[in-house]
Amino acid sequence: MVNEDADRSAEKQRAPLGDNGRNPPWPDEGVSNATAKRESSNPNEARIMEAVVERGNRRAALKRVEANKGAAGVDGMSTEALRPWLHEHWPRVKEELLEGRYKPSPVLKVEIPKPGGGVRQLGIPTVLDRFIQQALLQVMQPVFDPEFSESSYGFRPGRSAQQAVLAARAHVESGRTWVVDIDIEKFFDRVNHDMLMARVARKVEDKSVLRLIRRYLQAGVMDGGMVSERTEGTPQGGPLSPLLSNILLDDLDKELERRGHAFCRYADDCNIYVRSRHAGERVMASVTRFLEKRLKLKVNQGKSAVNKPSRRKFLGYSMTAHREPRLKAAPQSIERLKNKLRDKFRQGRGRNIGRFIEELKPILRGWINYFRLARVKGVFEELDGWIRRKLRCTLWRQWKRPRTRAKNLMKRGIAEARAWQSATNGRGPWWNSGAPHMNEAYPKKFFDSLGLVSLLNYLRSIQCSS
C-alpha cells in the first residue's frame, strides 16, 4: 500500500572480423606491457576494462555501431570506414584503453527541434568513440541493471515505453487518480559530474574505466569549428549516456520506493501516482527538494504539475477519466503527427501520388505501432479522413487549371456539367478537397488500392493479432 504520508518527513552488416575466415582477424598484439601490468594489479580493479576490450565484446559493439549507422563526428569518419580503420589501429587504441591513456574526441554539437517547441542539443561522438562507449555499455549494463527499480523503464533491456504506460494505467485503475508529473529541466545538460561519478564508483573499481567515463563527460563540444569545455551534463547522442542517466536517477527511484510510492519513470520523465490533490502537492514539494538538494537537478515548474491523469500526457499517451481508464493518443501526439505529415505533403506537391503514398507508409505504420495500446479509436478514424483529404488537396493543387480539373474529374466519373461547375467554383484547394465532387471522384477505396495505410484498420489488425 502506498504510504503518501512518508513525504511529510521526507542489425545486418558484414560478418565480424575473423568470422568464417572471410575477413582478416582483429590485429591483437598478444600480451602487451599494459596487459602484463594489469595482470599483476588488483584483479577486481582490472576486470572491467579487460572485459571491455575482449574480442567477443568488441565484435558485438562493432556490429551494433555499424547497424545503427548515424552521422559522422568531428573527424568525419563514417560507420563504413570504422572496421578497416580498427583493423589497422586497434592495437594502439587497446593499449591506450588498458593503460588509461585514451582521450576521447570532442562531440559535434547538433540541434534538433523538440516536438513541443524549442531545440534539443545533441552531442554526436566520433564513430570510434561510439564503438568504445558501446563496448563499455555492454559490460556495465549487466553490472548496474539488475539493481535498478522495477518502476524504471527507459533504456533498459527487455523494457519499453509501452510497459511504462501500462503500469501507469494500472496505478490509476487502483485508485491513485492524481498524478505528480515531474519534468526535470534540461536534465542531460545539467548532470553534476561529481555526483554521477560517485554513483558509478559504487560498483566500478576499475580506475581506467572511471577515468575514461569522466573524460567522456568532460569531452569538449565542437560548434562552428570551435571547441568549448564542458563542466556539467552528459551529452545526448552517445550509447553510454542513457545508462549514466539511469545510474544517477536510480537514487530518485530508491527514495520513492523507500517512501512507498507508486511511480513510473522513463529516463528523465517521472510520474508519481497518489490518491488526492493534497497528497500530490506534498509529494511535488518534497521530491523537488530531494532532486535539487541531493542530485543538484532543477525541476521545471512551468512543465511540472499535479493533476488528473486524463489532463496530462505520459510518453505520448493520455487516459480517459473513467473508473477503469482507457489509454488514448494524447492530443499533443496527434498534432505532432499532423505537423510531420504537413511537412511531407509540402514536399510531395508535384509528385506522383502513388509513389508519395509509399513514402507515407513507414511513418504511419511506425506511429500506429507505438500507439497500439490505445483503446479510444475515434481519433484514428478522424486522422484517416484528414490524410485522405490532404491527398485530395494535393491532387487539386497539381491540376492547377480549371480545364485540367474538369478533365480529371470527368475521368473519375463526375458528369461533365458538374465537373466544369466544380472546376470553376473559385474555392481554394482545401475547400475543394473536402467537397462532394472530390470525395466521389477519389473515395477511400481509391486510396486503399494505392496501398494507403488506414490507421484504424491497422490498429485493429495489430490488436487482434496480439
Side-chain angles (χ1 to χ4, degrees):
M1 181 175 180
V2 175
N3 180 15
E4 292 162 13
D5 291 332
D7 286 284
R8 296 178 189 270
S9 60
E11 63 220 75
K12 288 184 180 182
Q13 295 290 321
R14 290 174 293 173
L17 293 172
D19 282 358
N20 302 323
R22 290 176 294 182
N23 293 310
W26 286 83
D28 281 325
E29 66 280 18
V31 179
S32 67
N33 293 334
T35 306
K37 289 178 183 178
R38 295 178 65 83
E39 286 175 349
S40 62
S41 62
N42 182 339
N44 292 326
E45 185 178 304
R47 185 172 56 227
I48 291 183
M49 185 57 82
E50 289 178 355
V52 169
V53 301
E54 184 269 331
R55 180 186 291 267
N57 185 62
R58 66 185 188 243
R59 279 180 173 177
L62 179 58
K63 289 179 69 176
R64 176 59 63 90
V65 170
E66 288 177 329
N68 288 344
K69 297 185 178 180
V74 296
D75 62 356
M77 187 191 298
S78 66
T79 52
E80 292 79 9
L82 177 60
R83 184 179 290 264
W85 189 94
L86 284 172
H87 178 66
E88 183 178 352
H89 298 282
W90 173 247
R92 172 182 58 79
V93 174
K94 177 179 179 181
E95 186 159 340
E96 289 179 358
L97 288 169
L98 290 172
E99 291 183 346
R101 294 186 290 108
Y102 180 81
K103 293 183 179 180
S105 299
V107 296
L108 181 65
K109 181 180 178 181
V110 177
E111 293 183 344
I112 60 172
K114 286 184 177 180
V119 295
R120 175 178 288 112
Q121 291 187 4
L122 299 184
I124 307 300
T126 63
V127 290
L128 173 61
D129 283 324
R130 293 209 292 272
F131 163 69
I132 295 171
Q133 285 192 36
Q134 180 64 36
L136 268 171
L137 174 67
Q138 291 166 181
V139 174
M140 290 177 60
Q141 186 99 45
V143 174
F144 286 92
D145 193 82
E147 295 188 20
F148 284 157
S149 169
E150 286 298 311
S151 298
S152 168
Y153 295 89
F155 309 113
R156 297 182 60 190
R159 289 176 169 255
S160 66
Q162 283 86 355
Q163 290 174 336
V165 169
L166 288 173
R169 191 192 71 84
H171 291 323
V172 176
E173 192 174 28
S174 71
R176 299 173 179 88
T177 55
W178 289 84
V179 61
V180 181
D181 187 352
I182 295 176
D183 182 271
I184 301 175
E185 188 173 290
K186 296 182 179 179
F187 169 74
F188 285 94
D189 297 332
R190 293 186 172 170
V191 169
N192 183 283
H193 290 174
D194 291 335
M195 287 275 183
L196 175 56
M197 291 307 303
R199 282 148 182 80
V200 174
R202 290 172 182 172
K203 291 184 176 294
V204 175
E205 297 181 11
D206 190 330
K207 289 185 174 60
S208 61
V209 169
L210 295 174
R211 191 180 300 116
L212 180 60
I213 293 173
R214 185 175 283 276
R215 284 175 179 168
Y216 273 122
L217 293 173
Q218 295 176 339
V221 179
M222 179 174 284
D223 183 19
M226 300 291 291
V227 177
S228 58
E229 295 182 355
R230 186 172 60 237
T231 58
E232 62 178 3
T234 171
Q236 298 182 71
L240 199 57
S241 292
L243 175 62
L244 295 178
S245 70
N246 275 335
I247 291 172
L248 182 64
L249 289 175
D250 188 55
D251 274 26
L252 171 63
D253 299 341
K254 295 298 191 290
E255 179 66 13
L256 294 176
E257 289 176 343
R258 186 186 68 78
R259 299 181 187 187
H261 284 306
F263 69 97
C264 296
R265 183 179 66 78
Y266 192 96
D268 57 336
D269 198 346
C270 184
N271 278 6
I272 307 166
Y273 297 88
V274 296
R275 298 181 186 276
S276 69
R277 175 183 283 277
H278 180 68
E281 290 171 348
R282 189 172 65 247
V283 170
M284 175 68 81
S286 65
V287 172
T288 298
R289 286 194 300 271
F290 176 85
L291 286 168
E292 293 181 351
K293 292 181 179 180
R294 290 280 297 276
L295 299 182
K296 308 298 182 185
L297 297 171
K298 185 176 181 181
V299 172
N300 188 327
Q301 299 295 340
K303 294 184 178 179
S304 302
V306 177
N307 212 326
K308 290 285 189 179
S310 57
R311 297 174 185 170
R312 303 295 294 178
K313 70 178 178 70
F314 180 53
L315 301 177
Y317 280 85
S318 187
M319 303 182 198
T320 64
H322 297 96
R323 190 181 190 90
E324 295 183 1
R326 292 182 294 161
L327 293 171
K328 62 180 183 178
Q332 299 94 319
S333 301
I334 294 164
E335 190 58 31
R336 192 181 309 163
L337 174 66
K338 283 187 170 183
N339 288 336
K340 185 173 185 176
L341 291 175
R342 286 186 185 105
D343 289 340
K344 291 294 291 184
F345 278 110
R346 279 192 287 270
Q347 298 167 15
R349 293 175 185 174
R351 304 274 302 281
N352 175 276
I353 200 73
R355 286 196 292 270
F356 180 65
I357 286 174
E358 287 297 313
E359 293 181 16
L360 294 181
K361 282 183 181 180
I363 298 173
L364 299 177
R365 283 178 177 154
W367 192 84
I368 201 64
N369 273 317
Y370 181 79
F371 287 101
R372 64 183 179 271
L373 302 178
R375 292 298 181 268
V376 179
K377 300 178 182 177
V379 67
F380 299 110
E381 188 173 11
E382 292 174 10
L383 277 170
D384 280 339
W386 181 84
I387 292 167
R388 290 193 296 270
R389 185 171 179 179
K390 291 291 288 185
L391 288 167
R392 294 185 189 106
C393 185
T394 297
L395 288 169
W396 190 265
R397 288 179 184 276
Q398 288 177 353
W399 295 339
K400 294 183 180 179
R401 298 180 180 180
R403 179 182 297 276
T404 307
R405 289 169 177 169
K407 179 181 176 182
N408 282 301
L409 287 173
M410 285 186 281
K411 282 183 179 179
R412 295 295 304 170
I414 304 298
E416 182 177 359
R418 187 182 173 199
W420 275 104
Q421 182 182 17
S422 300
T424 57
N425 61 27
R427 301 275 190 168
W430 185 245
W431 186 92
N432 277 283
S433 65
H437 54 270
M438 283 298 283
N439 277 276
E440 291 175 26
Y442 293 91
K444 178 180 181 298
K445 63 181 180 181
F446 169 80
F447 296 108
D448 289 344
S449 68
L450 294 179
L452 179 65
V453 174
S454 165
L455 296 174
L456 181 60
N457 292 342
Y458 195 61
L459 176 64
R460 284 171 173 165
S461 67
I462 292 171
Q463 293 178 343
C464 288
S465 61
S466 61

